[in-house]
Amino acid sequence: MNQEGWSFDFAPQDKENDHVRNYILEACRNHDAELNGIYDEDGKSKHTMTEERKSTTNSRITSAFYSQKRQHVKLLTLSSDEIAHQRAITNRDARLREKYSKRMAAFNLNKADFIERYGADCEVFMDKGYMSDEEVAEVNNKGQTLSFTKLVPKWRSDLLEEFYRYLDHSTSLKSVAGNAPLSRVPKYTDPILSLEELDELPSWGVRDEYLFS
């Protein structure tokens, strides 16, 4: 069994992997409920996944299983340093997926408020490609992350930075121990987008020096 809980000696549909698959399906059901605000009076999810949604999710789970199995087999051939590096990448990617999911949930639940503050076109900046990436900057002797280096595109305006801070305020991103929010040290990076692509974005989100008009 690997660190994600899969038993790679069996297929993802086998009973030996039921606990993992069912856990993921339940997480998806709760995620759908959170996005759509489907709760009962006690705040519990009363959302039921459609058969189509369940089938699509199971297909993705199967695909993820074999992807993780390939990664698991690959790790068996690597040195301890290489394994640590690969796990750091995997953990970063998982963290960013969770961060994006929380941001989307916060935006959808408070969409009217965001539009009132930043305008109807603010939803454009919910695209994952416009958000910051992160690199682990510091860990403690247990391998837990203490702080991050946040890679911030130089083209983003102060108002767009405020938009993302306001978005994150309601998600309350916590440390591993669940205490204070982790420190995020900004590191400004050159644009990946072309000037033409930046010029098509809502102008309030882009610094003047990166706009044609």
Side-chain angles (χ1 to χ4, degrees):
M1 181 178 292
N2 76 329
Q3 63 179 349
E4 285 81 16
W6 291 114
S7 295
F8 288 135
D9 291 335
F10 301 92
Q13 297 84 6
D14 289 345
K15 64 180 182 180
E16 287 79 7
N17 283 314
D18 277 352
H19 63 294
V20 182
R21 188 175 63 257
N22 291 336
Y23 174 84
I24 297 173
L25 286 170
E26 180 65 10
C28 290
R29 187 181 72 84
N30 289 329
H31 173 71
D32 290 349
E34 185 177 7
L35 286 179
N36 296 287
I38 306 173
Y39 298 97
D40 60 22
E41 294 179 355
D42 296 326
K44 296 181 179 179
S45 168
K46 59 179 182 180
H47 175 64
T48 301
M49 295 176 72
T50 64
E51 289 302 316
E52 181 180 1
R53 168 69 165 147
K54 189 180 294 185
S55 175
T56 300
T57 304
N58 271 313
S59 294
R60 290 177 177 175
I61 291 172
T62 298
S63 177
F65 170 87
Y66 286 110
S67 176
Q68 290 177 23
K69 182 175 182 178
R70 287 192 296 271
Q71 185 69 12
H72 176 69
V73 172
K74 180 181 178 181
L75 288 176
L76 297 178
T77 67
L78 300 179
S79 68
S80 58
D81 287 344
E82 290 171 326
I83 289 174
H85 177 68
Q86 288 294 325
R87 284 180 175 165
I89 293 174
T90 300
N91 291 339
R92 181 203 64 189
D93 291 345
R95 186 176 65 251
L96 291 176
R97 284 194 300 272
E98 181 182 9
K99 178 179 178 180
Y100 181 69
S101 177
K102 287 183 176 181
R103 279 183 163 180
M104 285 302 301
F107 182 82
N108 287 327
L109 287 174
N110 303 281
K111 192 170 183 177
D113 180 36
F114 282 104
I115 289 176
E116 182 179 353
R117 283 173 175 263
Y118 300 100
D121 56 3
C122 68
E123 190 167 3
V124 170
F125 292 111
M126 292 304 297
D127 187 295
K128 209 180 302 185
Y130 304 138
M131 298 184 184
S132 299
D133 200 351
E134 292 174 342
E135 292 181 346
V136 174
E138 182 183 1
V139 296
N140 62 19
N141 57 9
K142 295 181 180 179
Q144 297 171 323
T145 302
L146 301 176
S147 66
F148 295 109
T149 296
K150 182 174 70 170
L151 305 181
V152 181
K154 290 180 180 178
W155 59 263
R156 292 198 331 206
S157 70
D158 292 340
L159 187 56
L160 183 55
E161 288 298 307
E162 177 194 300
F163 169 76
Y164 286 130
R165 285 196 300 271
Y166 186 63
L167 183 63
D168 287 337
H169 179 72
S170 59
T171 67
S172 300
L173 299 174
K174 299 290 185 178
S175 69
V176 174
N179 298 318
L182 294 172
S183 170
R184 284 171 164 77
V185 181
K187 176 182 178 182
Y188 295 94
T189 60
D190 292 326
I192 297 176
L193 301 174
S194 68
L195 292 179
E196 290 80 4
E197 289 172 314
L198 291 173
D199 204 48
E200 293 177 356
L201 296 175
S203 59
W204 63 267
V206 183
R207 294 190 180 279
D208 290 344
E209 58 265 35
Y210 293 101
L211 294 173
F212 287 132
S213 53

